[in-house]
Amino acid sequence: MTMTQKLRVPDHPFPEPPAPGTATEVAPGVLWMQLPLLWALNHVNVYALDDGDGWTVIDTGLDTTKIREVWETLLAGPLGGRPLRRVVVTHHHPDHVGLAGWLCAKTGAGLVMPRTGYLLSRMLRAEEQSLPPRAVVEFYRRAGMDPELLAQRRTERPFNFTDWVAPLPLDYGRIREGDRVRMGGRDWIVRMGEGHAAEHATFWQEGGDLVIGGDQLLPGISPNLGVQPTEPENDPVTDWIASCERLAAFARSEQLVLPGHKKPYHGLPERLDQMARGHHEALDRLEKHLAVPRTGGDCFAPLFRRSVTRDSYGLALAEALGHLNALVAQGRAIREMGDDGAWRWRAA
Ligand SMILES: [Zn+2]
């Protein structure tokens, strides 16, 4: 899931995305496919790597009837009816992990993902809620959610992981930082990113120019760096900037990055620099905005260069908290509890 700043887009060698149910070969034996999403961002990218005797698939889309049908078309068509050997998931968000369990059950493929993502996916699937728990309502009140919206949300079924993610296999293969894995006739080094999702896997081809980036390395849009009710003091913006700076050491202009959304691109060194700079600048604008005390819900204007709709309000609030927590961690802002039960942040 993504939102926030629109940034300058780097060079895209494949200008047209593959039509639904078809694939574009972006390198020998590497297929790019798109699945629909139901959100403002209307697609997610998945990839298939030719292992000779079958395929490794990277990411899987949301679990909906329609997207299962698209997979059926892809398996019979571009993947030529050859077996899936492995389903690799970059991170635990529903648009990436959603159909992993279904694909594994259907094809006999093994699941491969980071341990944090696997455990979070299993945990979140086990917690179905018909109404937001009291602690979650309190979290939103402290964050400064618009009171009318909060009153409405208290009465509605919240976003449930289990509505969008099929049951996961009871075992999986763990990948961790620095691992070497063989996929599509190539060796890849696993490097983990932080900030958008805990332990987000990226794959860097050894002796070649392909990088599988998931949502850690997106062109044109900045992924959501959100604070969730389970970890209210989390500081994902600082983690994100640190990941951009760390991964920059491995980035080269000639690499072709295969992202989780939008189109494959060249120009990773510039893109990483641009993403880190974008959040540094957002922190500067937010700090100025805190010349007077503000709630989290009062902080959208300096962060987002587009209007925040009701649909994107939750993501926007989560990301506002992310930047506010970063300013507090850096000693640039302090917060005090207001009489209405909502924090007020102000510049230190
Ligand atoms: Zn995503």
Side-chain angles (χ1 to χ4, degrees):
M1 265 188 275
T2 61
M3 72 166 297
T4 70
Q5 307 105 320
K6 270 208 156 22
L7 298 165
R8 189 174 54 83
V9 174
D11 163 43
H12 294 280
F14 303 93
E16 286 303 319
T22 72
T24 299
E25 188 169 52
V26 293
V30 180
L31 303 184
W32 168 33
M33 298 159 290
Q34 284 196 336
L35 303 171
L37 278 186
L38 311 168
W39 304 320
L41 183 65
N42 65 4
H43 70 277
V44 60
N45 293 330
V46 298
Y47 300 92
L49 284 72
D50 187 347
D51 288 329
D53 62 345
W55 298 96
T56 293
V57 158
I58 312 280
D59 287 338
T60 66
L62 292 175
D63 183 10
T64 69
T65 310
K66 183 178 170 192
I67 300 170
R68 288 185 185 205
E69 284 167 12
V70 178
W71 265 118
E72 303 276 8
T73 307
L74 291 169
L75 291 169
L79 303 193
R82 286 196 288 141
L84 285 199
R85 300 291 182 195
R86 258 178 313 189
V87 174
V88 175
V89 175
T90 56
H91 64 296
H92 74 278
H93 292 164
D95 47 335
H96 301 264
V97 76
L99 279 169
W102 175 79
L103 277 171
C104 289
K106 179 183 172 60
T107 65
L111 175 66
V112 172
M113 62 189 294
R115 179 184 278 170
T116 308
Y118 178 75
L119 295 177
L120 276 170
S121 300
R122 295 279 311 268
M123 180 190 91
L124 291 167
R125 269 206 98 264
E127 289 189 340
E128 188 172 353
Q129 290 151 355
S130 52
L131 290 173
R134 184 194 298 263
V136 171
V137 172
E138 255 332 286
F139 171 80
Y140 285 127
R141 188 195 318 285
R142 289 190 201 114
M145 178 176 273
D146 173 68
E148 192 194 320
L149 193 56
L150 182 62
Q152 184 193 330
R153 291 214 171 183
R154 294 181 75 150
T155 66
E156 290 176 349
R157 181 179 170 87
F159 184 93
N160 271 279
F161 205 76
T162 181
D163 294 346
W164 303 104
V165 177
L168 284 143
L170 300 185
D171 65 328
Y172 80 111
R174 180 186 179 192
I175 41 172
R176 63 184 106 187
E177 172 72 28
D179 278 355
R180 179 179 285 112
V181 293
R182 189 154 182 89
M183 307 187 289
R186 298 162 174 88
D187 288 323
W188 308 76
I189 300 293
V190 177
R191 302 191 198 286
M192 297 299 179
E194 294 287 340
H196 175 56
E199 214 186 352
H200 182 309
T202 61
F203 302 87
W204 301 66
Q205 187 189 351
E206 274 198 307
D209 292 329
L210 292 177
V211 179
I212 298 168
D215 288 359
Q216 194 75 35
L217 305 173
L218 293 178
I221 50 174
S222 167
N224 189 255
L225 308 183
V227 174
Q228 304 303 325
T230 44
E231 211 176 321
E233 310 305 325
N234 189 20
D235 179 5
V237 174
T238 299
D239 287 344
W240 178 262
I241 292 171
S243 290
C244 288
E245 290 169 355
R246 192 175 71 82
L247 294 174
F250 310 104
R252 291 178 286 107
S253 301
E254 54 275 25
Q255 283 161 332
L256 178 65
V257 184
L258 310 180
H261 305 275
K262 304 282 177 174
K263 293 178 282 192
Y265 65 99
H266 295 293
L268 185 54
E270 296 77 12
R271 181 64 186 136
L272 285 167
D273 179 57
Q274 185 184 49
M275 288 194 289
R277 209 154 15 90
H279 288 290
H280 280 302
E281 289 167 6
L283 290 173
D284 292 345
R285 293 194 302 272
L286 181 59
E287 187 179 20
K288 286 207 183 77
H289 186 67
L290 299 182
V292 294
R294 313 269 189 183
T295 67
D298 288 337
C299 288
F300 297 163
L303 293 176
F304 309 120
R305 289 168 205 172
R306 63 182 198 197
S307 61
V308 172
T309 62
R310 244 177 147 73
D311 284 348
S312 57
Y313 189 98
L315 285 176
L317 186 60
E319 181 136 357
L321 293 174
H323 287 82
L324 289 164
N325 282 357
L327 285 182
V328 171
Q330 292 173 19
R332 295 164 67 184
I334 53 172
R335 67 176 189 190
E336 287 155 348
M337 185 49 72
D339 296 336
D340 55 358
W343 293 112
R344 297 293 188 285
W345 282 266
R346 60 180 168 83

